[in-house]
């Protein structure tokens, strides 16, 4: 799929625009597995670890995936690609983290990797950053981290092996009200378990001699292969007198063959990413225009993330990334009577976009229902009407100061597709949903009738400073409050009606929402600072409380 042909036109910068983008509540991103490029092998290994937490040592599972070359040559650097470290900590570890009122965690991983070739070896650190995650009320915690890793250059030919070593997790903990937990940060040290298969082997990369360098150093002999003159009667003997035994003077005068000195001189070279290296784009759902939804000269797209409170359950749900496609309207100016400034208005429309449908990706939330029963629900938000974005503001032609207020309105029905209470799955059927759209207080009910979510963003701009607050071109925070309606249609073939359970535990007013919008991509004016090559938003926003 590709965007409109006009989107290939390149400019060095995109002019800043005063506009508004839709926002919405979403909680998970479904990212398809990447396909390995030709000439690469995919390492995918799950390993047992033992992690040290405040309550003691606990088992953990660490899965490492990466793309490495199927072969390389001595002297040719290469960088493992698409490196992902997924750590699953048990429920006992989650209890340690929640002891200080923590409800969310942000994680950075540091995985030690041994790189060996014969008797020569080097160490590298594969660092990764995981998206913010809510701590589950029950069950394990899974953290998936990605990041850029060092490049490797073999100095000899032979098998180059990559093996997992010690792992460190740097955790930052947050409470439901946004304050720091106690402790606010924690480093968890993890060691490879003794029963780890093949001592943590991740991958083997064959290394051939450099065809342009006839003097390429051969790989050190394998310990299992007897060297010439080692005492093996079947091994070829060096030329000379077989009865002569070398004395100390002979040993002092012997020369080392080229490249056969200290193993450290033959160790693989590990080069850290330079300070100017671009960090990889974090995983995100597709957010692009296609033949079924073609772009226009006013088309924009952007990602949004954030947090949503569920007041009855005294908790907050993470809102991971999802996509909105926007058709930006023109900005109208009504001049002040003295022409010293004017009022700005703009109306735009948009749609949620997930796999061609106006909805969010599926997401999961886990809470303690009624204060004791762990409940996990899988849900989807479906857009049932137009998403509108209306901006109003004013600007001074004298001082150039501009302020803007933006309101986003979108009707969203919450659909539950799976439910689990205290570890037991319950059949919710195929039509479990709220009775109507999520409902926010509407400041202009006569002009905007009906139930819908309302989010508001505000900004100010005093050149030459950058804008502060929410604007389309730079993104920013959007906040609101919503009532979750009662549920209906919740019950499978067994005849059990679950409407009351969901309504009593979730439905009600006063649920605060804070969302962060990232930089938009104007798809028909390609800007490498704002768009990927395939015209998706480049900037991935980070949720804030």
């Amino acid at each position: 799929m590709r965007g409109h042909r006009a989107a290939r036109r390149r400019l060095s910068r995109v002019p800043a625009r005063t506009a508004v983008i839709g926002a919405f509540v979403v909680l998970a991103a479904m990212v398809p597995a990447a396909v390995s490029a030709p000439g690469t092998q995919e390492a995918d290994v799950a390993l047992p670890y033992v992690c040290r937490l405040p309550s003691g040592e606990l088992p953990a599972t660490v899965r490492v995936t990466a793309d490495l070359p199927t072969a390389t040559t001595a002297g040719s650097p290469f960088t493992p690609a698409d490196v992902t470290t997924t750590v699953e900590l048990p429920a006992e570890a989650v209890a340690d983290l929640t002891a200080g009122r923590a409800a969310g965690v942000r994680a950075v991983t540091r995985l030690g990797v041994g790189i060996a070739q014969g008797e020569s070896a080097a160490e590298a650190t594969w660092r990764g950053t995981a998206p913010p995650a809510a701590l589950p009320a029950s069950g394990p915690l899974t953290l998936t981290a990605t990041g850029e890793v060092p490049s490797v250059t073999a100095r000899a030919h032979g098998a180059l092996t990559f093996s997992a070593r010690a792992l460190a997790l740097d955790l930052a903990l947050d409470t439901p009200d946004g304050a720091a937990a106690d402790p606010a940060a924690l480093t968890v040290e993890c060691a490879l378990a003794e029963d780890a298969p093949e001592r943590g082997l991740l991958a083997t990369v064959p290394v051939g001699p450099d065809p342009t360098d006839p003097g390429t150093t051969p790989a050190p002999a394998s310990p299992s292969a007897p060297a010439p003159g080692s005492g093996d009667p079947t091994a070829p003997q060096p030329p000379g007198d077989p009865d002569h035994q070398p004395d100390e003077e002979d040993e002092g005068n012997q020369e080392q063959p080229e490249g056969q000195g200290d193993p450290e001189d033959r160790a693989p070279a590990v080069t850290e990413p330079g300070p100017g290296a671009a960090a990889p784009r974090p995983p995100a759902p597709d957010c692009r225009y296609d033949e079924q939804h073609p772009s226009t000269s006013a088309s924009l797209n952007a990602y949004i993330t954030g947090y949503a409170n569920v007041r009855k359950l005294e908790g907050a749900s993470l809102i991971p990334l999802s996509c909105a496609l926007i058709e930006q309207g023109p900005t109208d100016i009504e001049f002040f009577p003295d022409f010293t400034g004017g009022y700005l208005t703009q109306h735009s429309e948009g749609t949620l976009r997930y796999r061609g449908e106006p909805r969010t990706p599926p997401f999961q939330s886990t809470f303690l229902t009624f204060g004791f029963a762990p409940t996990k629900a899988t849900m989807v938000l479906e857009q049932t009407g137009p998403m509108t974005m209306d901006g109003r503001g004013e600007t001074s032609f004298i001082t150039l100061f501009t302020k803007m207020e933006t309101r986003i309105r979108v009707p969203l029905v919450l659909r539950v597709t799976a439910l689990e209470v205290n570890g037991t799955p319950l059949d919710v059927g195929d039509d479990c949903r709220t009775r109507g759209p999520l409902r926010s207080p509407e400041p202009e009910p006569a002009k905007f009738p009906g139930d819908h979510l309302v989010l508001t963003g505000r900004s100010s701009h005093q050149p030459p400073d950058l804008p502060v607050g929410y604007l389309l071109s730079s993104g920013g925070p959007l906040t609101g409050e919503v009532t979750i309606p009662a549920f209906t249609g919740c019950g499978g073939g067994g005849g059990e009606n679950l409407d009351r359970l969901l309504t009593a535990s979730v439905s009600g007013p006063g649920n605060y929402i804070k969302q962060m919008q990232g930089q938009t991509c104007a798809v028909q004016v390609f800007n490498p600072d704002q768009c990927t090559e395939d015209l998706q938003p480049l900037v991935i926003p980070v949720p804030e409380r």
Side-chain angles (χ1 to χ4, degrees):
M1 295 185 295
R2 60 179 184 271
H4 194 283
R5 184 183 299 270
R8 295 298 171 186
R9 179 164 54 93
R10 294 173 179 259
L11 296 178
S12 60
R13 287 288 174 186
V14 172
R17 309 178 187 199
T18 302
V20 186
I21 189 169
F24 47 89
V25 182
V26 294
L27 281 181
M30 307 289 288
V31 184
V35 178
S36 297
T40 65
Q41 58 172 313
E42 182 182 10
D44 189 344
V45 181
L47 298 168
Y49 272 74
V50 177
C51 297
R52 185 178 296 109
L53 285 112
S55 62
E57 293 186 342
L58 297 172
T61 300
V62 177
R63 181 183 177 190
V64 183
T65 61
D67 284 350
L68 297 99
T70 53
T72 188
T73 58
S76 298
F78 66 89
T79 304
D82 296 332
V83 176
T84 300
T85 303
T86 302
V87 184
E88 183 178 289
L89 297 173
E92 295 87 345
V94 178
D96 278 359
L97 301 180
T98 57
R101 293 186 65 245
V105 60
R106 291 163 284 144
V108 173
T109 60
R110 292 178 283 130
L111 176 66
V113 176
I115 306 171
Q117 192 177 42
E119 297 179 355
S120 304
E123 292 285 335
T125 300
W126 288 2
R127 296 177 173 85
T129 301
L135 294 175
S138 64
L141 169 67
T142 301
L143 301 168
T144 301
T146 59
E148 192 174 18
V149 303
S151 63
V152 178
T153 306
R155 295 175 177 170
H157 62 84
L160 190 69
T161 62
F162 291 75
S163 301
R165 297 289 186 255
L167 171 71
L169 291 170
D170 298 318
L171 306 178
L173 304 172
D174 299 314
T175 60
D177 56 10
D182 184 17
L186 179 68
T187 295
V188 177
E189 302 286 351
C190 302
L192 191 68
E194 294 182 356
D195 59 347
E198 299 185 85
R199 297 183 179 181
L201 179 66
L202 301 176
T204 299
V205 178
V207 182
D210 184 350
T212 66
D213 183 4
T216 299
T217 303
S222 169
S224 61
S230 62
D232 184 348
T234 64
Q237 299 296 314
D241 183 358
D243 297 325
H244 175 70
Q245 298 296 323
D247 54 24
E248 293 182 4
E249 182 177 355
D250 291 329
E251 292 179 0
N253 291 331
Q254 286 178 339
E255 293 185 1
Q256 294 283 352
E258 183 180 356
Q260 297 296 313
D262 190 337
E264 292 186 2
D265 295 336
R266 305 190 302 270
V270 176
T271 305
E272 293 289 338
R281 180 175 179 266
D286 278 349
C287 190
R288 73 181 91 204
Y289 292 82
D290 53 38
E291 287 78 3
Q292 287 72 42
H293 198 123
S295 64
T296 71
S297 59
S299 294
L300 307 165
N301 50 8
Y303 287 115
I304 296 174
T305 186
Y307 286 98
N309 289 345
V310 180
R311 185 177 181 183
K312 275 190 174 180
L313 299 175
E314 298 182 348
S317 293
L318 177 68
I319 304 174
L321 297 167
S322 197
C323 168
L325 305 182
I326 304 300
E327 288 303 307
Q328 177 186 348
T331 300
D332 296 322
I333 300 179
E334 180 184 348
F335 295 104
F336 296 160
D338 59 2
F339 292 95
T340 59
Y343 299 102
L344 309 174
T345 59
Q346 185 187 55
H347 176 81
S348 301
E349 296 188 358
T351 181
L352 310 188
R353 186 73 165 176
Y354 178 69
R355 295 187 175 179
E357 299 293 333
R359 60 188 179 95
T360 72
F363 62 88
Q364 285 188 341
S365 282
T366 303
F367 295 100
L368 288 177
T369 305
F370 308 121
F372 66 90
T375 301
K376 179 169 67 176
T378 303
M379 298 170 280
V380 171
L381 282 163
E382 299 177 344
Q383 182 178 338
T384 60
M387 177 193 296
T388 60
M389 297 78 72
D390 289 280
R392 299 175 183 177
E394 59 184 66
T395 185
S396 168
F397 299 155
I398 299 174
T399 65
L400 303 182
F401 178 79
T402 300
K403 63 180 181 180
M404 197 84 175
E405 181 178 85
T406 299
R407 285 204 174 97
I408 298 94
R409 297 171 172 90
V410 55
L412 297 172
V413 168
L414 179 62
R415 182 180 293 274
V416 179
T417 61
L419 185 66
E420 183 180 295
V421 178
N422 204 24
T424 301
L426 302 179
D427 188 0
V428 297
D430 298 327
D431 198 29
C432 180
R433 67 193 189 284
T434 52
R435 292 184 181 274
L438 306 181
R439 183 173 67 254
S440 295
E442 172 54 65
E444 301 177 81
K447 187 175 181 180
F448 299 98
D451 293 340
H452 47 258
L453 171 68
V454 179
L455 294 175
T456 301
R458 296 177 176 86
S459 68
S460 61
H461 186 199
Q462 178 62 71
D465 297 333
L466 295 175
V468 176
Y470 177 82
L471 280 178
L472 172 63
S473 58
S474 56
L478 293 152
T479 59
E481 186 177 293
V482 67
T483 295
I484 301 174
F487 285 81
T488 184
C490 302
E496 184 176 10
N497 191 324
L498 302 174
D499 294 349
R500 284 179 153 184
L501 172 65
L502 287 169
T503 298
S505 58
V506 176
S507 299
N511 303 290
Y512 176 74
I513 299 172
K514 182 175 182 179
Q515 296 184 154
M516 299 299 297
Q517 178 212 305
Q519 171 76 53
T520 57
C521 167
V523 297
Q524 291 203 3
V525 186
F526 179 80
N527 183 338
D529 293 333
Q530 300 173 358
C531 307
T532 62
E533 286 288 341
D534 59 350
L535 302 175
Q536 300 191 69
L538 178 65
V539 177
I540 307 299
V542 176
E544 295 182 5
R545 292 187 182 275

